[in-house]
Amino acid sequence: MERFAPDDAIMKTSKPPVRVLIVAASMDILGGQAVQAVRLMDHLKQEPSVEVDFLPVNPRLPGVLRKLQSIKYVRTVTTSILYWLLLLRRIPAFDVIHTFSASNFSFLLAPSPAILVAKLFNKKVILNYHSGKAEDHLRNWPKTSIPMLRMSDVIIVPSPFLVRVFAKFDLPSTAIFNVVDFDQFTYRERPNLRPVFLSNRNFEHHYGVDVVLRAFKIIQERFPDAALKVAGDGPCRDELHALAAELNVRNVKFLGAVEQEQMPSLYNETDFFLNGSRVDNQPLSILEAYSCGVPVITTDAGGIPDMVTDGVTGLLVPMDDHEALAKAAIHLLEHPEVAKRIISEARKECERYRWDVVRTQWLDAYANHRPHQ
């Protein structure tokens, strides 16, 4: 009988790597999903059990055709056509299609085509849903959202909050926390906390940057030298600039969209993080503030209470209550011993979001949903 050496036996029995295609927004659309996709890709490339590649939902047209993507409406049509063509060409080469998802119209434009093409080629689909608007999406768009979600082989969400939301619609889901590479962020001791605040959210109504500005007005009445740095951009830009002028707040600096590589130094320059969300899930900016030693004062929107324990890892206030947001920030400034205790506990909370903690969950998700060989 022929015998095989141990190494030969391992080669005969070991499974080939799972071929995973991640479908998500590129960094051309700066936001949490794009950042999360990049971080996940970077880690998966180090895993021998996975072969990973990326397909952007917002592909760039080649050459002179790219000018079409600067024209409103034409941009949507041309980008969508190119996106569908890329899906049809690339999906057949992969085992598992991991598509990131937002809500509402974006759900139709981005994950839905990926799911349909994946099923056309009999591929396994992991739908990675991130939006804090999930409940409104499922209630208001039931005919397009729920059947498409049921076509997915598994729904993965970043938070227990979304697990609870999907359960209301009899949609089972699994929570795998967002990945934060804390080595990219520098923890700084803050022995003397200054009234220097940071807001780092896109300029959309549901992120409540207007709530932050109104809270800062009250903070500045108590601490005249208080400063606020506002990172972000979006459709509410003009409205927020006008509000700052109307409130007559001083020392407010609108920084525009800030590249991810620049964020660590921005956290380092500030001493408090203010967040006024009306709708949210698991904002990466809060986790980044934790890791940098920046105490967080935030509204209690969506999944935020799952990641911020009031009085322990941060301070929580009701949504749309700018007076409560200001009062909580002033409390930390006037009671630095409370702020320092919160900073310490928040730093411990970061451990739940490291790659070595969530790694096995992601690798199991891919392995369990590889096609039968």
Side-chain angles (χ1 to χ4, degrees), residues 146-163:
I146 294 176
M148 196 64 62
L149 286 160
R150 293 196 189 282
M151 289 178 66
S152 305
D153 293 280
V154 64
I155 301 170
I156 292 177
V157 296
S159 67
F161 163 68
L162 284 184
V163 171

Side-chain angles (χ1 to χ4, degrees), residues 1 36 44 57 64 84 119 230 267 288:
M1 179 180 293
Q36 195 56 207
L44 290 174
V57 301
V64 295
W84 272 94
K119 289 306 172 182
V230 185
Y267 286 110
E288 292 167 354

